[in-house]
Amino acid sequence: MPTNTWTRHHILSLADFTAFEYDTVLQTAASFQEVLSRRTKKVPTLQGQVVANLFFEPSTRTRSSFELAAKRLSADTLTFTSATSSITKGETILDTAKTYLAMGTDIMVIRHREAGVPSAIAQEMDRLGVRVSVLNAGDGQHEHPSQALLDLFTICTLLDPNYPQIELLKNKKIVIVGDILHSRVARSNIWSLTASGAQVHLAAPPTLLPKLFADYGEDRPGKLFLHWELEPALQDADFVMTLRLQKERMTANLLPSLREYHQLFGVTHSKLKLCQPNVKVLHPGPVNRGVEISSELMDDPEFSLIQTQITSGVAVRMALLYLIGSGKV
Ligand code: NCD
């Protein structure tokens, strides 16, 4: 049942996010975007609270973006990276989380290469009866909610900078192309975009896009279409999201060669001619230039929203930390 106040304590998945929650995130992020355009870019909202970034897997933009977002809200931040931690001495993940709990952490932002770790830590915090919120910053192939929300914000603010809302995406054609099988970004985006009423077209070679993905689109306001060729997917598209080939997650040789992959599924200026004339391209990063997207297109500000996505990420993560963190002190 949608409510008119924010009640979600942890952000672990977008599978059950409501329209009200999407719009609240978008509008809260818009107001923080305005704060970030001021000369003094900081607000006292989370003063006295501790935000711990627990990154058990490498990350550049997500970790830095959460750290900056927490600092802009005046929270105290702790940053953990597994390579330099006691994990290397045999400490369990749960014990690491409890160490941060004992230091007074209010919000844990967690990334792990195994699906389900953030939700296991959230369950443990709830079992202990402590008011600690957990935010999933990417778990295995499962979900990456803050990335999909910043993608949503990037698209909606382009369509209406003054009033970003999911309604703007109704019947827009959005293509997600690349290694969908291994992508948590794709899974979270499928939830947010189909909830917004967009027509979502997935495109990849069959080895990277199994038929079971069609199930994600059942009973959602927006429809989901699967393509094993890129060109039909691109026809009249409004937005194209490109994804990296996640080689670290591939257990078998799923592609003949990178050259052939680029020819068939790489997004380039010439392939974009099939799309709407004002089509825009997104990519969550990190990018393999010349593989999933041509280097020229990535750097072309007429089409590429990649830098805007990174900028939007800070405002969106401020919104998420604010929404789950306010009322704690
Ligand atoms: C993505 C991730 O880590 O899931 N990157 C990101 O968070 N910006 C996508 C990727 O690794 O390719």
Side-chain angles (χ1 to χ4, degrees):
M1 263 287 282
T3 60
N4 57 4
T5 50
W6 186 270
T7 51
R8 193 177 290 266
H9 180 51
H10 306 294
I11 299 178
L12 302 169
S13 160
L14 297 185
D16 62 348
F17 245 58
T18 63
F20 164 78
E21 287 176 309
Y22 284 115
D23 282 340
T24 305
V25 170
L26 293 174
Q27 280 139 37
T28 311
S31 58
F32 285 125
Q33 186 93 303
E34 189 274 316
V35 169
L36 293 173
S37 69
R38 294 183 200 157
R39 206 160 66 88
T40 307
K41 298 175 168 53
K42 223 165 158 142
V43 285
T45 322
L46 293 189
Q47 207 158 40
Q49 291 202 35
V50 178
V51 176
N53 289 311
L54 309 183
F55 278 67
F56 298 90
E57 193 199 70
S59 167
T60 306
R61 62 216 90 214
T62 306
R63 197 186 61 211
S64 309
S65 177
F66 267 115
E67 191 172 329
L68 186 57
K71 286 185 167 141
R72 296 289 200 217
L73 293 169
S74 305
D76 295 315
T77 56
L78 297 170
T79 297
F80 160 98
T81 40
S82 50
T84 54
S85 74
S86 291
I87 288 281
T88 58
K89 299 180 189 169
E91 182 171 82
T92 68
I93 296 161
L94 224 46
D95 285 335
T96 306
K98 284 184 189 161
T99 303
Y100 282 88
L101 170 66
M103 284 183 210
T105 296
D106 299 283
I107 301 177
M108 294 184 188
V109 178
I110 300 175
R111 167 170 289 197
H112 199 281
R113 76 188 151 77
E114 300 291 340
V117 168
S119 102
I121 295 178
Q123 273 173 30
E124 180 64 8
M125 294 301 139
D126 293 348
R127 195 188 63 79
L128 293 170
V130 291
R131 280 191 52 76
V132 172
S133 290
V134 175
L135 226 153
N136 178 5
D139 62 330
Q141 295 174 201
H142 178 225
E143 284 222 38
H144 194 347
S146 67
Q147 179 67 45
L149 292 168
L150 78 86
D151 295 339
L152 190 69
F153 181 74
T154 305
I155 293 174
C156 291
T157 42
L158 187 84
L159 297 171
D160 185 348
N162 296 321
Y163 200 65
Q165 50 176 320
I166 57 171
E167 173 79 15
L168 295 163
L169 285 193
K170 210 162 179 185
N171 296 324
K172 291 277 184 244
K173 180 171 181 181
I174 304 186
V175 180
I176 305 180
V177 50
D179 184 358
I180 291 162
L181 175 65
H182 298 102
S183 177
R184 52 196 176 206
V185 175
R187 285 174 177 79
S188 290
N189 262 299
I190 291 169
W191 291 132
S192 57
L193 298 173
T194 54
S196 306
Q199 306 295 312
V200 182
H201 292 251
L202 308 179
T207 46
L208 299 179
L209 179 56
K211 283 204 179 111
L212 59 87
F213 268 87
D215 299 349
Y216 279 78
E218 275 169 17
D219 307 324
R220 313 276 299 167
K223 292 283 153 277
L224 196 60
F225 305 86
L226 272 55
H227 302 266
W228 293 282
E229 276 177 87
L230 181 56
E231 282 73 9
L234 289 181
Q235 205 68 53
D236 298 320
D238 297 289
F239 294 92
V240 180
M241 286 187 178
T242 50
L243 298 172
R244 185 173 67 92
L245 290 175
Q246 316 238 334
K247 289 194 218 81
E248 73 278 14
R249 300 206 180 107
M250 291 187 190
T251 49
N253 287 329
L254 299 174
L255 296 167
S257 75
L258 290 185
R259 241 177 82 118
E260 188 179 324
Y261 178 80
H262 180 69
Q263 262 168 17
L264 296 175
F265 289 95
V267 180
T268 59
H269 278 100
S270 83
K271 285 188 196 147
L272 283 191
K273 293 199 178 104
L274 294 166
C275 305
Q276 292 287 349
N278 57 353
V279 64
K280 297 286 180 244
V281 178
L282 297 96
H283 193 307
V287 177
N288 287 317
R289 287 177 180 263
V291 181
E292 64 267 11
I293 182 169
S294 69
S295 204
E296 304 76 52
L297 181 57
M298 179 182 169
D299 295 331
D300 184 347
E302 194 192 328
F303 294 102
S304 171
L305 290 177
I306 299 174
Q307 294 303 112
T308 315
Q309 284 173 279
I310 300 170
T311 308
S312 304
V314 180
V316 170
R317 289 176 172 122
M318 284 173 81
L320 300 180
L321 293 171
Y322 163 76
L323 288 167
I324 59 174
S326 59
K328 280 220 171 84
V329 280

